[in-house]
Amino acid sequence: MIIGVLLILGVYLGILAANWNLERQARQETSRLLSQLDTELSVVLADLDSMDAYYAVSGRFATRALAGWNGDPAVDDSDFVIAAYQASQINGVGTNSQIWAEIFGADNLRNIEDLALRRSLRQLMTFDYGLVNLTAAMSRYREEVRKVIPNDQQSAIRARCGDIVKPNGILILPATCDVRFAP
């Protein structure tokens, strides 16, 4: 009888130890992923911040094009064409929440004790990146303006004032463009 109790107690303690070890390994894996995630999150945030800057420049070109469209004498023909073209420039991100969910996973999310961090990661994993991808940025304006501006003028604008790709892959739209076209 004592042997039976000892045997049951030994099996029970063995199961407890195995479960404790599995939980410890899961916490270690979560910590490892979190340490790597910091770098990845910095890249995503830099991409999103760069898009704000990119579209701020594009928006200033749109304002200038609209002024030219409305007959503002300060906007000459070259400025108008450049502004209309640059206002049609787009930028987007190449990630989605499903990738983040696969990388980190809900199981690891449960292991994060920091509630603010857990909430932020949950938002990252469920964010609709479709709102900021290139397809979403395509517009009827972009399509139409690129039909009416002659290709040689578009090529000249792109050559002198096109997107600048930084070493980290971030796109920058130059704030000014000094190309002259015949009136």
Side-chain angles (χ1 to χ4, degrees):
M1 170 121 154
I2 292 178
I3 293 177
V5 169
L6 288 175
L7 183 61
I8 291 172
L9 186 61
V11 169
Y12 177 74
L13 291 175
I15 291 171
L16 279 178
N19 287 342
W20 175 83
N21 191 43
L22 287 174
E23 287 176 20
R24 182 185 58 78
Q25 288 174 343
R27 283 191 304 274
Q28 284 177 336
E29 177 67 10
T30 299
S31 293
R32 185 183 66 75
L33 285 172
L34 283 174
S35 69
Q36 295 171 352
L37 192 63
D38 187 41
T39 301
E40 295 300 320
L41 286 175
S42 296
V43 170
V44 169
L45 291 174
D47 280 347
L48 294 174
D49 286 344
S50 75
M51 286 179 54
D52 283 346
Y54 189 97
Y55 284 114
V57 171
S58 179
R60 287 191 294 276
F61 278 111
T63 300
R64 185 122 176 104
L66 184 59
W69 185 260
N70 288 327
D72 184 337
V75 181
D76 67 25
D77 292 344
S78 289
D79 289 339
F80 175 72
V81 170
I82 291 165
Y85 181 83
Q86 293 294 70
S88 75
Q89 294 286 64
I90 60 173
N91 189 2
V93 296
T95 191
N96 66 49
S97 56
Q98 188 175 7
I99 291 172
W100 284 104
E102 288 176 15
I103 290 171
F104 200 75
D107 290 341
N108 288 320
L109 195 59
R110 284 193 308 256
N111 291 327
I112 299 173
E113 293 178 18
D114 182 333
L115 294 177
L117 178 59
R118 187 183 322 161
R119 184 176 32 257
S120 295
L121 283 172
R122 184 175 53 244
Q123 288 173 337
L124 178 69
M125 291 166 45
T126 59
F127 181 75
D128 183 4
Y129 287 93
L131 300 171
V132 291
N133 70 21
L134 284 176
T135 304
M138 296 289 188
S139 69
R140 179 77 186 255
Y141 171 81
R142 177 184 167 85
E143 183 180 323
E144 295 299 324
V145 81
R146 288 175 182 229
K147 283 181 187 175
V148 297
I149 296 175
N151 283 334
D152 62 324
Q153 291 179 348
Q154 291 185 49
S155 294
I157 295 168
R158 274 192 305 273
R160 297 275 307 272
C161 316
D163 290 339
I164 298 169
V165 182
K166 292 293 196 176
N168 59 2
I170 287 178
L171 291 181
I172 294 176
L173 184 60
T176 61
C177 184
D178 186 26
V179 177
R180 294 285 115 207
F181 301 114

